[in-house]
């Protein structure tokens, strides 16, 4: 076994430097409930990256949702399938949803939570 290419602790490997896979519109795991969960978890990580505290809820009698803690109030976000597309929705208004694959979704929801 050739150890000459071994990395020292703390040294980045090619796998560490890999870029995240680009988002696609295909289902992540297959079922609507599994896809909904994956979308919410992905959003939670994205919101964490922009400085928003989140909590993912998986209630027994209603659909899963994510709570984004805002400066004034928490915002409850759901992932919904709209035809073949997925959206994040945090209210009933026409400006209270965004495509789940929109790269600016976390920023938009962060701004909504700050109001």
């Amino acid at each position: 076994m050739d150890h000459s290419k071994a990395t020292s602790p703390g040294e980045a490997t090619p796998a560490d430097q890999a870029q995240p896979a680009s988002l696609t519109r295909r289902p992540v795991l297959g079922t609507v409930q599994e896809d909904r969960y994956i979308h919410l978890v992905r959003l939670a990580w994205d919101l964490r990256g922009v400085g928003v505290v989140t909590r993912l809820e998986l209630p027994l009698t209603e659909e899963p949702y994510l709570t984004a803690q805002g400066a004034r109030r928490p915002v409850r976000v759901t992932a919904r399938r709209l035809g073949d597309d997925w959206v994040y929705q945090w209210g009933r208004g026409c400006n209270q949803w965004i495509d789940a694959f929109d790269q600016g979704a976390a920023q938009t929801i962060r701004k909504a939570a700050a109001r």
Side-chain angles (χ1 to χ4, degrees), residues 23 42-43 46-47 50 88 90 98-111:
L23 298 174
R42 189 171 48 81
L43 177 61
D46 290 348
L47 285 167
V50 296
Y88 296 125
W90 58 92
I98 191 166
D99 188 297
F101 295 100
D102 188 313
Q103 295 293 329
Q107 287 289 351
T108 299
I109 293 168
R110 182 184 63 81
K111 289 175 187 174

Side-chain angles (χ1 to χ4, degrees), residues 21-39:
S22 62
L23 298 174
T24 64
R25 295 206 173 273
R26 67 170 182 75
V28 181
L29 293 174
T31 71
V32 171
Q33 289 298 336
E34 290 168 329
D35 286 355
R36 180 174 284 129
Y37 174 77
I38 294 297
H39 284 297

